[in-house]
Amino acid sequence: MSKISREALTESVASLLKHSHEVKKRNFLETVELQIALKNYDPSRDKRFAGTVRLKYVPRPKFKVCVLGDEKHCDEARAQGIPCMTLDDLKKLNKEKKKVAKLANSYDAFLASDSVIKQLQKVLGRGLNKAGKFPSPLNHGDNLQAKVEELKATIKFQMKKVLCLAVAVGNVGMQCDELTSNINLSINFLVSLLKKNWQNVRCLYIKSSMGPSFRIN
């Protein structure tokens, strides 16, 4: 596949938003997903890639972040209305897989103080790792609200065993130019991760939660 034009991308985004707002309006905020099919890639032999990129606009406003913090970070989190847990709270889970899994499923991402990160595996086991939600580090001096906003705006591409990838890049409440900007940045970042860049891309689609797929030509 060759590099897509801004016009073609804008047209696909406009079609998706029109369908969501006019043809079949849902009573919840639909997430918009970028779906990528790869080619000339062998997951069993070629190096699997992973990378994160911060988008200009937050794709999922309801993205939930929890702070696993020391006393200072938890006090800060409580003052700002951000969910938090201390090391003592985590110890109460007794490394029970179901309880750790429930914690992992309750939030989209975690931030953790340095002192807590060092003890996480000992206290929780590998539950957060397995869920793909190992915490991002939180240092003293960091702006907590800014770190939360950064996590909310960051997406991750990770090559696994199949040649299809999907990642949330926005929602149908966004303006066409905002959604186009997020998708364009996401595509260009993904292409930079591929060994043969655009030659590894078979096709690209965008899709809202309950809507049809729209191909980006």
Side-chain angles (χ1 to χ4, degrees):
M1 185 172 177
S2 58
K3 189 174 181 180
I4 56 167
S5 69
R6 184 83 177 187
E7 291 76 19
L9 176 56
T10 302
E11 193 177 314
S12 297
V13 171
S15 298
L16 181 147
L17 290 176
K18 183 177 181 181
H19 186 278
S20 176
H21 294 314
E22 298 176 20
V23 180
K24 194 78 175 176
K25 190 170 174 62
R26 306 285 175 175
N27 58 1
F28 68 95
L29 186 66
E30 292 181 87
T31 297
V32 175
E33 198 173 64
L34 172 66
Q35 301 174 333
I36 310 104
L38 303 179
K39 64 180 180 179
N40 305 325
Y41 224 98
D42 183 349
S44 61
R45 286 203 330 222
D46 294 326
K47 186 181 177 184
R48 295 186 192 177
F49 58 81
T52 58
V53 61
R54 181 174 181 171
L55 302 180
K56 190 173 180 181
Y57 304 97
V58 173
R60 291 190 290 165
K62 291 184 178 179
F63 189 93
K64 291 192 292 184
V65 178
C66 179
V67 174
L68 309 179
D70 55 23
E71 279 306 319
K72 186 175 184 299
H73 278 142
C74 282
D75 286 346
E76 205 178 325
R78 290 185 197 104
Q80 296 182 42
I82 300 167
C84 63
M85 292 180 79
T86 64
L87 200 55
D88 285 339
D89 294 329
L90 297 175
K91 285 176 180 175
K92 289 173 188 173
L93 301 180
N94 292 323
K95 262 190 184 177
E96 290 180 35
K97 288 182 180 178
K98 282 188 178 178
K99 289 182 179 178
V100 176
K102 186 179 179 183
L103 171 65
N105 291 333
S106 298
Y107 298 96
D108 297 294
F110 295 89
L111 284 167
S113 308
D114 274 347
S115 58
V116 176
I117 279 187
K118 288 170 186 171
Q119 298 186 62
L120 264 188
Q121 199 153 319
K122 181 179 165 187
V123 175
L124 292 183
R126 293 181 53 78
L128 294 184
N129 281 54
K130 288 179 180 176
K133 294 181 182 178
F134 191 79
S136 298
L138 181 62
N139 301 309
H140 291 291
D142 285 343
N143 181 318
L144 182 55
Q145 193 61 53
K147 291 287 281 187
V148 169
E149 289 304 311
E150 182 182 342
L151 268 184
K152 284 184 174 183
T154 300
I155 59 168
K156 182 177 184 179
F157 288 103
Q158 188 165 11
M159 178 69 181
K160 294 188 177 175
K161 294 179 181 177
V162 292
L163 291 176
C164 295
L165 297 168
V167 64
V169 290
N171 62 76
V172 298
M174 295 168 74
Q175 297 298 315
C176 184
D177 60 331
E178 294 174 342
L179 194 48
T180 301
S181 174
N182 271 9
I183 294 169
N184 192 48
L185 181 59
S186 304
I187 292 171
N188 289 334
F189 178 73
L190 170 67
V191 168
S192 75
L193 295 177
L194 302 172
K195 62 177 185 178
K196 292 183 180 177
N197 304 120
W198 282 99
Q199 292 175 47
N200 286 128
V201 180
R202 183 180 298 281
C203 56
L204 297 163
Y205 289 89
I206 49 174
K207 183 187 182 308
S208 63
S209 304
M210 304 296 285
S213 298
F214 292 87
R215 185 165 182 164
I216 306 169
N217 293 315

